[in-house]
Amino acid sequence: MQNNHFSIVLCPPEDICEMSMITASLWVRRGAAAAFPAKYEVNEKELARISRLAKLQLEDAKDDLSEAQNGHPERDSGRDSSDDEEVEEEDVKMTTPNGDADNDLKEYDLDTYDDEQIPQEGQVLDMFGSLAYHQSNADDPYITMQGDDEEDEEREDLQVLPTDNMVVAAKVEDEVAHLEVYVYEDEADNLYVHHDYPLPAIPLCVEWLDLPVGKGKPDASSSGNYVAVGTLDPDIELWDLDMIDSMYPNAILGQGSLGEDSSKADPDTEHKKKKKRKKSKKVNDNYHVDAVLSLAANRLNRKLLASASADKTVKLWDLTTQQCAKSFSYHTDKVCSIAWHPEEATVLLSGSYDRTVVAADLSLMEAVIGRWGVESDVETVTWDPHDPNYFYVTTENGMIHYHDKRTAPFSPENTKPVWTLQAHNASVSAFDINPVIPGFLATGSTDKEVKLWNVQPNGPSMVVSRNLGVGKVFTTRFAPDKEVGFRLAVAGSKGAMQIWDTSTNPAVRNAFAGRVGPTPLADEGKERVVGMDEDSSDDEDEGGVEPGGDAVQVDDGWESMDEV
């Protein structure tokens, strides 16, 4: 599960366009990515698919333009049909060649220019003496370097090693929305952009998928490396992370979908359907009609993807058919965060701006099995992976709530959490639980602070607080592999991605040394942060990480705060 702090959506568009920011991120576990990503190639089937997508987009653009023009009839009211005829006559006169021009061009014999004979294989070119023409460089005995070295070098540059992690960031930069796919080399302290994908609107959430999509029905043994992206648009795009130079997603869930077998879809029929849909923005059971705020892939039933939207609904998608299987409306305001139960495949947790959290069994007619209340708008909901009887809720007021799902209240007003914590003075816009180390939490806030927490039986205590120089923090994500279990990806309103090796902090080592098992701890020394360049247009007086791809040694000026 990954969702975004929704206050971004409420910002004026002109403010969003003036900044570079990362709104959401995720890690890809080691070994999941292809060693050598494939290059996007347009075959006949793919050409037909993207042609249909392009036609739908073009028709939509024409419809929008027509609506805009019809909304301003005064633009055309002053024009007379005779004016158009005069313009057409002038164009004809301007493009009609005169006799003098024809005479001047006769000497070049342009009429027969294209009739020249193309030299055959091995034929000598007369104008160059003894120079021979060969269809392929491989057939030319004088060319000894065939370009294989260059291709091998490019292939090597794209290689993803078994010890590498991919990190995916949903980014907006200079009014352009896209996905950036980084490769993180832990041993080399290196983080770099491997490839990227264009997006149609500001991205709000991302979720990793291990099921191939857009390639027919996968079998039980099929695996892949895909990402689902939710944006301000109501459609959900699915991209293959092992394919570079792609311009269109592998599949779309929602109004823009061409269905399971897009090669047989009739674009004219699809466009007519879409035009009917565009006339109504009413909530329905088939697709979202507002921004997609959160996505959750079901790890126990890989073909299921859940989505939450500003249209107040939660939808369940079948990835094999790319159609909505079920739709639920048990919230009364925007649904901003969802998470599947780690052990119960049909139980979904959701949080909303209606200030309630719902646990629902989606296999039941009456899906809601528990509803809890909180003091302000929900930011994130997350099950505890180390004890799935419990879950966390973060809120706009900077609070963290810890609940036992077995003790659901009779009404939200009677909610009694196991414990609560005032984690930040501003909204807790980013939250994650370390999947490898029990009781290790990370929070991020619009107050620009990242805090690490130690949860023990008697409650949580803060281990350390940092300003990593990413601006307002929108995403904090722990690495999924035990070898890099202490690595935390952090990003926010400055558009910079930072990977913090939290084990290089003495307070973290002291707090979690007894829980790491085989997870390696860093040697004692200065703190280590590996990052990308920051956006120079933002403030530079916030301290934190120096820009660059190398590891940064953190000075003692970064205060470490231990809670007693």
Side-chain angles (χ1 to χ4, degrees):
M1 179 277 303
Q2 175 68 56
N3 64 283
N4 181 64
H5 180 52
F6 192 66
S7 63
I8 295 175
V9 180
L10 302 180
C11 292
E14 59 270 17
D15 291 344
I16 294 176
C17 294
E18 290 176 358
M19 65 177 67
S20 171
M21 61 182 176
I22 293 176
T23 58
S25 67
L26 61 82
W27 289 80
V28 177
R29 59 179 173 79
R30 293 182 173 187
F36 296 97
K39 281 198 171 185
Y40 179 71
E41 294 182 0
V42 183
N43 53 30
E44 291 185 4
K45 184 177 180 179
E46 178 66 4
L47 181 60
R49 186 180 76 91
I50 64 176
S51 295
R52 277 184 288 275
L53 288 171
K55 182 173 182 178
L56 289 175
Q57 293 175 354
L58 180 60
E59 293 295 336
D60 288 342
K62 288 180 179 179
D63 290 344
D64 293 339
L65 179 60
S66 177
E67 291 174 6
Q69 290 175 339
N70 292 336
H72 301 278
E74 67 276 3
R75 293 180 180 176
D76 300 323
S77 59
R79 293 187 59 181
D80 185 54
S81 58
S82 60
D83 295 337
D84 295 334
E85 293 176 2
E86 291 177 3
V87 172
E88 291 177 3
E89 290 177 1
E90 290 177 1
D91 291 342
V92 171
K93 291 178 181 178
M94 292 176 63
T95 56
T96 302
N98 54 47
D100 294 338
D102 286 339
N103 294 332
D104 292 338
L105 296 176
K106 279 183 179 179
E107 62 177 292
Y108 298 104
D109 196 19
L110 295 181
D111 292 335
T112 60
Y113 181 80
D114 293 329
D115 297 335
E116 294 182 25
Q117 296 295 320
I118 299 176
Q120 301 299 315
E121 179 77 17
Q123 179 179 342
V124 176
L125 301 180
D126 294 334
M127 64 182 295
F128 294 110
S130 60
L131 184 61
Y133 166 81
H134 296 276
Q135 187 72 28
S136 172
N137 287 342
D139 299 328
D140 192 330
Y142 294 99
I143 298 180
T144 57
M145 298 181 63
Q146 303 295 339
D148 293 340
D149 294 341
E150 184 176 340
E151 293 179 3
D152 292 343
E153 184 178 350
E154 182 180 3
R155 178 178 167 85
E156 184 178 346
D157 290 340
L158 294 174
Q159 184 178 7
V160 180
L161 300 175
T163 55
D164 293 341
N165 286 95
M166 276 188 172
V167 182
V168 181
K171 191 170 185 178
V172 181
E173 187 173 18
D174 298 330
E175 304 184 25
V176 177
H178 59 281
L179 278 183
E180 281 190 343
V181 182
Y182 304 93
V183 168
Y184 174 61
E185 302 172 332
D186 186 64
E187 294 182 0
D189 293 335
N190 190 26
L191 178 71
Y192 63 92
V193 177
H194 189 271
H195 59 282
D196 60 6
Y197 305 104
L199 296 177
I202 295 173
L204 302 176
C205 53
V206 290
E207 180 73 340
W208 184 70
L209 306 172
D210 63 352
L211 186 75
V213 290
K215 298 180 179 180
K217 288 187 177 181
D219 55 41
S221 62
S222 299
S223 62
N225 181 25
Y226 289 74
V227 63
V229 187
T231 69
L232 281 178
D233 286 347
D235 290 341
I236 301 166
E237 294 193 347
L238 310 179
W239 293 84
D240 185 353
L241 294 174
D242 290 336
M243 182 73 67
I244 62 174
D245 298 332
S246 297
M247 296 302 295
Y248 289 91
N250 291 68
I252 298 175
L253 309 180
Q255 299 185 56
S257 173
L258 291 180
E260 175 187 357
D261 190 353
S262 61
S263 62
K264 297 180 181 178
D266 180 3
D268 293 329
T269 303
E270 292 295 327
H271 179 57
K272 290 177 182 177
K273 291 179 181 179
K274 198 166 183 181
K275 285 187 70 175
K276 291 180 181 178
R277 295 170 187 165
K278 288 183 67 177
K279 293 179 181 178
S280 175
K281 292 292 185 180
K282 291 183 179 179
V283 175
N284 59 81
D285 293 338
N286 300 317
Y287 50 84
H288 287 301
V289 295
D290 208 338
V292 178
L293 306 182
S294 185
L295 296 166
N298 194 316
R299 303 303 175 195
L300 303 178
N301 189 344
R302 295 190 304 152
K303 72 175 184 178
L304 297 181
L305 175 71
S307 61
S309 172
D311 64 13
K312 307 176 187 179
T313 69
V314 173
K315 285 184 167 41
L316 188 61
W317 302 89
D318 185 339
L319 294 177
T320 60
T321 63
Q322 299 163 30
Q323 300 296 319
C324 182
K326 284 187 178 181
S327 181
F328 303 90
S329 300
Y330 41 71
H331 284 289
T332 59
D333 207 335
K334 301 176 182 70
V335 188
C336 55
S337 183
I338 51 176
W340 287 103
H341 193 278
E343 297 177 354
E344 299 178 42
T346 61
V347 175
L348 184 74
L349 193 66
S350 61
S352 169
Y353 274 28
D354 63 13
R355 301 187 176 186
T356 67
V357 175
V358 169
D361 188 335
L362 303 188
S363 65
L364 304 177
M365 289 294 293
E366 296 294 331
V368 177
I369 58 178
R371 189 185 296 268
W372 293 260
V374 292
E375 85 294 340
S376 61
D377 295 349
V378 174
E379 291 287 346
T380 63
V381 295
T382 312
W383 293 100
D384 186 345
H386 305 287
D387 189 347
N389 288 317
Y390 297 88
F391 63 88
Y392 293 88
V393 184
T394 71
T395 69
E396 186 181 27
N397 284 356
M399 299 291 294
I400 299 178
H401 300 250
Y402 190 56
H403 290 279
D404 187 339
K405 83 175 182 68
R406 298 165 296 184
T407 57
F410 293 106
S411 67
E413 293 77 15
N414 298 324
T415 298
K416 292 182 180 180
V418 177
W419 53 258
T420 60
L421 170 69
Q422 182 71 52
H424 294 266
N425 293 325
S427 64
V428 183
S429 50
F431 180 81
D432 200 19
I433 305 169
N434 195 302
V436 178
I437 306 164
F440 190 9
L441 310 182
T443 61
S445 172
T446 52
D447 64 11
K448 305 179 182 179
E449 292 290 320
V450 176
K451 295 182 180 181
L452 306 181
W453 304 88
N454 181 10
V455 179
Q456 298 176 306
N458 60 345
S461 59
M462 188 174 69
V463 178
V464 62
S465 178
R466 286 285 181 267
N467 183 333
L468 292 176
V470 299
K472 296 178 181 179
V473 182
F474 295 144
T475 175
T476 56
R477 304 286 284 177
F478 280 109
D481 304 290
K482 64 181 181 180
E483 296 85 356
V484 285
F486 280 95
R487 310 306 182 267
L488 181 69
V490 181
S493 62
K494 283 193 172 184
M497 173 63 71
Q498 308 288 358
I499 308 296
W500 180 16
D501 182 357
T502 60
S503 70
T504 57
N505 178 270
V508 172
R509 286 200 301 271
N510 293 336
F512 301 105
R515 305 183 211 173
V516 296
T519 304
L521 280 167
D523 297 332
E524 291 192 18
K526 294 186 177 181
E527 293 188 36
R528 181 168 66 112
V529 177
V530 180
M532 299 292 296
D533 289 343
E534 295 181 3
D535 185 359
S536 59
S537 63
D538 287 289
D539 298 334
E540 298 180 355
D541 57 350
E542 296 178 26
V545 182
E546 295 291 334
D550 297 330
V552 176
Q553 301 300 328
V554 180
D555 295 330
D556 295 335
W558 280 16
E559 181 183 0
S560 177
M561 293 181 283
D562 294 297
E563 292 289 319
V564 179

